[in-house]
Amino acid sequence: MKQKRVLTIQDYSCLGRCSLTEYLPVVSSCGIECVGIPTAVLSNHTAGFRSWTYADLTEYLLPTIDHWEDYNHFFDAISSGYLGTDQVDIVSQIFRRLKTEKTILLVDPAFADSGKLYPGFTKEHIDKMRTLLSLADVTLPNLTEACLLTDTPYREDFSLPEIDRMMEKLSSFGPKEVVISGLSLSKGKVGCRILDSRTKTFSTYQTKSYPGQYHGTGDLFASSFLSARILGLGLSSSVEVAHDFVHRSIKETIEEGKPELYYGVEFEKALPYLVRKIKNQLSKG
Ligand code: PXL
C-alpha cells in the first residue's frame, strides 16, 4: 500500500509532551509520514507550568506552503491543533490550498479545558474557530470546547440528550464527524460520544476511568484517531483505538508511581500497543 501522509499544523512545546512532540511520534509509529508545520516554538506548554517563552512563527506559515507549490504534496489528511488567534485564518487558507477531494480535514479546537480557556485566549478565538470548523470533515473537541463553541454554559453533569444537542450544533458548523472525548457518562467510567451526521447515528465508547486529569491526552487522542482513520478504520473503530491508546498511556504513567500531571503521560511505552491495536482492528475487516 502506498505510504500515507499527514500534514499537521500546531505548536512545538519543547517540554511537557503535547502538540507536535506527540503528533510526530504517534503518526510515525503507525507507518505514516507526518509533516509538521510548527506555528510557534515554546519552552513548554502553558497549562501547569509557571511561565514560558516562545518564538512566534506566524509569518513563516504561508511562505512554507509557497515553497511547496512545485512539488507533489498530496496529503491524505491535514489537521490543526493548538493555534494562536491570528493563525486560525491562515490555517483556513492552508486547508483550502492543499486539500483535494480525498483529503480528510481534522480540526481539534485545542483552546480550552476543565471549564476554562487556555491562557491568552478570548471569545475572538472561539468565533474564528467556528469559521475553521466550516471546512472540517472531523472535529474532536473536549466538553469545555464543545460548550464554548455552542454557547452552552459549562457543566460536568450533562445528560446524553444535552450532549447530543451540542454535537448536532457542532456538526451544523461543518464537520460530518464529531467526537467528544474524556466524558464521564457513568460512574467510574470515561468515554467518548460519537456522531456520524451522514447516517445521523450517535454512539458511545467508554472504559474504566483513572482518577485525575492528564495533560496532552487530547493530542494523543487526535493523532492516534487520525492515524487509524487514514489507515482505513471506520469512525467508531478509530475512536476505540484512540481511546484505548490514551487509556493505556495513562496506565503506563500511573504504574511508574506518582505522575507529574503537567509533564504529560508516558505514551512512548504504549506505542507498540497502538500499532498492534490498529493492525488487529484492520484484520477484523
Ligand atoms: O495540547 C494543548 C496545548 C498545546 N500547546 C500548548 C498548550 C496546550 C495546552 O495548554 O499550552 C502550547
Side-chain angles (χ1 to χ4, degrees), residues 34-52:
C34 187
V35 178
I37 303 186
T39 51
V41 178
L42 289 89
S43 53
N44 44 268
H45 65 67
T46 65
F49 288 95
R50 268 191 313 281
S51 64
W52 54 90

Side-chain angles (χ1 to χ4, degrees), residues 10-13 17-20 22 42 44-48 52 81-83 108 110-113 118-119 121 145 215-219:
Q10 51 191 302
D11 68 284
Y12 188 98
S13 289
R17 294 191 189 99
C18 67
S19 310
L20 282 178
E22 294 188 325
L42 289 89
N44 44 268
H45 65 67
T46 65
W52 54 90
Y82 180 98
L83 299 172
D108 181 350
F111 59 71
D113 205 357
Y118 291 144
F121 289 123
E145 291 155 351
H215 191 266
T217 50
D219 300 325

Side-chain angles (χ1 to χ4, degrees), residues 164-239:
D164 291 353
R165 234 171 293 138
M166 273 193 263
M167 293 178 81
E168 276 170 339
K169 194 161 172 191
L170 286 165
S171 179
S172 76
F173 299 148
K176 294 173 281 299
E177 299 181 358
V178 180
V179 180
I180 304 184
S181 57
L183 291 171
S184 329
L185 296 170
S186 34
K187 202 163 177 290
K189 299 239 163 147
V190 61
C192 307
R193 188 72 174 156
I194 308 161
L195 167 62
D196 186 339
S197 72
R198 284 163 304 216
T199 52
K200 296 195 171 36
T201 27
F202 287 98
S203 54
T204 299
Y205 181 70
Q206 58 183 345
T207 61
K208 171 175 98 86
S209 68
Y210 290 115
Q213 285 249 320
Y214 298 86
H215 191 266
T217 50
D219 300 325
L220 290 180
F221 187 90
S223 50
S224 54
F225 169 87
L226 190 59
S227 301
R229 199 83 183 87
I230 66 171
L231 288 173
L233 291 181
L235 174 60
S236 337
S237 306
S238 302
V239 168

Side-chain angles (χ1 to χ4, degrees), residues 16-273:
R17 294 191 189 99
C18 67
S19 310
L20 282 178
T21 62
E22 294 188 325
Y23 243 85
L24 289 161
V26 168
V27 174
S28 299
S29 296
C30 296
I32 299 165
E33 179 187 352
C34 187
V35 178
I37 303 186
T39 51
V41 178
L42 289 89
S43 53
N44 44 268
H45 65 67
T46 65
F49 288 95
R50 268 191 313 281
S51 64
W52 54 90
T53 184
Y54 68 97
D56 179 78
L57 298 174
T58 308
E59 296 298 318
Y60 141 102
L61 302 178
L62 286 174
T64 295
I65 304 300
D66 294 340
H67 282 273
W68 294 353
E69 217 116 72
D70 298 334
Y71 297 88
N72 173 15
H73 54 237
F74 172 73
F75 296 107
D76 296 279
I78 307 177
S79 77
S80 67
Y82 180 98
L83 299 172
T85 303
D86 294 343
Q87 296 172 335
V88 181
D89 292 341
I90 296 175
V91 170
S92 292
Q93 289 182 52
I94 296 176
F95 276 10
R96 284 183 216 276
R97 278 174 61 178
L98 296 182
K99 73 173 177 157
T100 71
E101 262 162 48
K102 291 191 183 144
T103 310
I104 297 176
L105 296 180
L106 182 148
V107 171
D108 181 350
F111 59 71
D113 205 357
S114 308
K116 287 197 298 258
L117 286 163
Y118 291 144
F121 289 123
T122 63
K123 185 175 176 306
E124 185 192 0
H125 193 84
I126 305 170
D127 294 339
K128 282 188 185 270
M129 195 52 72
R130 263 188 227 111
T131 315
L132 186 61
L133 280 180
S134 70
L135 299 176
D137 297 302
V138 192
T139 189
L140 310 173
N142 58 36
L143 183 59
T144 306
E145 291 155 351
C147 287
L148 289 165
L149 286 162
T150 58
D151 290 317
T152 312
Y154 177 77
R155 300 193 333 255
E156 278 170 16
D157 57 352
F158 287 112
S159 66
L160 217 46
E162 287 173 319
I163 289 175
D164 291 353
R165 234 171 293 138
M166 273 193 263
M167 293 178 81
E168 276 170 339
K169 194 161 172 191
L170 286 165
S171 179
S172 76
F173 299 148
K176 294 173 281 299
E177 299 181 358
V178 180
V179 180
I180 304 184
S181 57
L183 291 171
S184 329
L185 296 170
S186 34
K187 202 163 177 290
K189 299 239 163 147
V190 61
C192 307
R193 188 72 174 156
I194 308 161
L195 167 62
D196 186 339
S197 72
R198 284 163 304 216
T199 52
K200 296 195 171 36
T201 27
F202 287 98
S203 54
T204 299
Y205 181 70
Q206 58 183 345
T207 61
K208 171 175 98 86
S209 68
Y210 290 115
Q213 285 249 320
Y214 298 86
H215 191 266
T217 50
D219 300 325
L220 290 180
F221 187 90
S223 50
S224 54
F225 169 87
L226 190 59
S227 301
R229 199 83 183 87
I230 66 171
L231 288 173
L233 291 181
L235 174 60
S236 337
S237 306
S238 302
V239 168
E240 186 178 326
V241 162
H243 177 95
D244 288 354
F245 169 56
V246 171
H247 197 258
R248 177 74 170 236
S249 301
I250 294 173
K251 178 170 178 275
E252 296 283 359
T253 312
I254 291 172
E255 281 173 2
E256 272 312 301
K258 196 173 180 308
E260 294 174 289
L261 299 185
Y262 57 88
Y263 199 63
V265 293
E266 299 178 16
F267 72 91
E268 298 88 349
K269 296 175 182 168
L271 288 171
Y273 169 84

